[in-house]
Amino acid sequence: MLFKDVEDHVLLALWPSFRERRLRKGDVLFRAGDPGEELYLIKDGSIVVSKPVTGRVEQVLSRLGAGEAFGEMSLFGDERRRSATCQAETDAALYSLD
């Protein structure tokens, strides 16, 4: 878990910066190569992480569920571009932090 070792007073200070976002099954949150400046925490539902292989074919890299975080690579990386595509596998509720 991303924030498991963060002290409570730090979490409380961060909380107002989070925004809730809802996705319906099949909604694409972002695609590989898109600019990105936020990370996401999954409240409910599941997200499929994939990467383009050829043309419109995507290779599934992982499936993420409630309590997991993603999107941090573009936040902390040099290029600030998404390295993969993230799509809602089910209806989902996320918290974003930019």
Side-chain angles (χ1 to χ4, degrees):
M1 227 177 142
L2 184 64
F3 294 101
K4 73 177 182 173
D5 295 325
V6 178
E7 295 180 22
D8 288 345
H9 73 278
V10 175
L11 290 174
L12 288 172
L14 281 174
W15 182 246
S17 299
F18 281 92
R19 306 256 185 287
E20 187 169 358
R21 180 159 182 184
R22 296 196 172 270
L23 300 174
R24 293 192 173 265
K25 179 180 178 177
D27 286 351
V28 174
L29 183 60
F30 54 78
R31 296 192 183 283
D34 286 351
E37 295 182 347
E38 62 274 327
L39 68 87
Y40 296 92
L41 303 172
I42 303 172
K43 177 182 176 186
D44 294 307
S46 62
I47 301 293
V48 173
V49 181
S50 62
K51 195 162 193 138
V53 179
T54 57
R56 297 180 62 168
V57 176
E58 298 270 330
Q59 177 184 6
V60 173
L61 302 174
S62 65
R63 286 181 164 77
L64 306 172
E68 294 188 89
F70 64 97
E72 73 286 349
M73 287 177 66
S74 68
L75 197 65
F76 301 119
D78 294 334
E79 196 173 315
R80 294 192 179 242
R81 296 277 175 188
R82 298 296 185 183
S83 62
T85 297
C86 287
Q87 181 175 14
E89 185 172 41
T90 64
D91 289 352
L94 312 172
Y95 293 115
S96 67
L97 177 65
D98 62 11

